[in-house]
Amino acid sequence: DGGITQSPKYLFRKEGQNVTLSCEQNLNHDAMYWYRQDPGQGLRLIYYSQIVNDFQKGDIAEGYSVSREKKESFPLTVTSAQKNPTAFYLCASRRSVAYNEQFFGPGTRLTVL
Amino acid sequence: SQQGEEDPQALSIQEGENATMNCSYKTSINNLQWYRQNSGRGLVHLILIRSNEREKHSGRLRVTLDTSKKSSSLLITASRAADTASYFCATPRGGGSQGNLIFGKGTKLSVKP
């Protein structure tokens, strides 16, 4: 059963804590993405990776960090420097530069208490 | 930066009616995609239309693209309660060579049984 998995589905964090959101894909896709979605808003790009061991900042990278040590994994860390981290986080992948469609995971809802 | 803007922001119709959503964008593109998002879930790719296509069909979906007006429309015919979701258009960012997408804020469709 191929696809993208994200965990956990819901995450609660106290202010000042770092948390890591998991994203795994078994589609053998080259590129992976992290988006943030706020209520009534579209998706905003946080970070993306076109290839293993390389990643680029998106539009709202401040307060976030990522790694891409394996092709199938692209974890996102929300650091204490992110001032307003409460949001819905979506991970996506794309087969390669020759393909346009992105495949999305089910999302993680992060709430800061 | 916002590339695609959907209109209307919200749409409420009865089952069996047609639903039309529009997307306007600002710069030249080589393709435009539509995605669907059920509440609290990830996005699902619906259809891609290329700049040299004027119309494309997929089941009950019909997408048009007018590059002279920089606009696209998504028509869902004979809507069902299960079509209730948010619909987003997405356009390539920066010429599309890296495959990054810019998403609009979406149209929230409610189909009443």
Side-chain angles (χ1 to χ4, degrees):
Chain A
D1 187 22
I4 301 177
T5 58
Q6 292 185 242
S7 62
K9 186 172 176 65
Y10 299 97
L11 186 56
F12 298 90
R13 188 194 93 173
K14 293 182 180 179
E15 282 194 28
Q17 285 183 334
N18 292 355
V19 290
T20 297
L21 282 60
S22 168
C23 178
E24 303 277 332
Q25 54 101 357
N26 61 3
L27 300 168
N28 199 32
H29 285 180
D30 289 341
M32 296 186 75
Y33 304 82
W34 273 107
Y35 295 94
R36 170 182 171 139
Q37 186 178 32
D38 293 285
Q41 300 294 314
L43 279 63
R44 291 187 289 170
L45 183 63
I46 304 172
Y47 268 99
Y48 64 98
S49 169
Q50 304 280 16
I51 195 170
V52 176
N53 291 321
D54 185 53
F55 49 82
Q56 307 294 331
K57 292 182 179 180
D59 298 320
I60 55 166
E62 185 174 352
Y64 300 97
S65 66
V66 294
S67 64
R68 186 88 186 276
E69 297 176 1
K70 299 185 295 183
K71 188 174 187 178
E72 58 269 25
S73 179
F74 191 41
L76 173 74
T77 296
V78 185
T79 74
S80 57
Q82 170 50 236
K83 298 305 178 188
N84 185 22
T86 294
F88 189 52
Y89 291 87
L90 287 161
C91 179
S93 70
R94 183 171 57 92
R95 188 184 297 185
S96 72
V97 294
Y99 295 85
N100 297 287
E101 178 183 353
Q102 291 189 14
F103 294 78
F104 284 80
T108 292
R109 187 166 299 278
L110 173 64
T111 302
V112 174
L113 302 174
Chain B
S1 60
Q2 209 73 30
Q3 166 75 308
E5 292 285 344
E6 291 90 346
D7 169 60
Q9 291 185 4
L11 181 60
S12 182
I13 60 174
Q14 294 294 130
E15 230 176 5
E17 294 180 340
N18 294 343
T20 300
M21 289 156 269
N22 303 296
C23 170
S24 59
Y25 56 92
K26 297 175 184 174
T27 62
S28 295
I29 58 173
N30 54 18
N31 69 82
L32 183 143
Q33 300 179 55
W34 284 91
Y35 287 80
R36 163 194 169 129
Q37 183 183 33
N38 285 67
S39 182
R41 303 286 190 95
L43 277 70
V44 175
H45 182 264
L46 294 176
I47 197 166
L48 179 149
I49 187 165
R50 300 192 185 281
S51 58
N52 61 354
E53 298 175 308
R54 290 295 169 261
E55 187 172 309
K56 198 166 183 178
H57 296 253
S58 177
R60 292 184 297 113
L61 305 181
R62 187 188 83 159
V63 170
T64 61
L65 180 64
D66 187 335
T67 54
S68 66
K69 295 181 179 178
K70 292 187 170 58
S71 68
S72 173
S73 68
L74 170 66
L75 168 67
I76 304 174
T77 60
S79 62
R80 306 166 182 168
D83 294 328
T84 295
S86 291
Y87 293 82
F88 296 88
C89 66
T91 50
R93 170 194 304 253
S97 61
Q98 292 193 0
N100 291 355
L101 299 175
I102 300 177
F103 289 85
K105 294 184 178 180
T107 291
K108 191 169 186 177
L109 174 65
S110 175
V111 182
K112 301 185 186 308

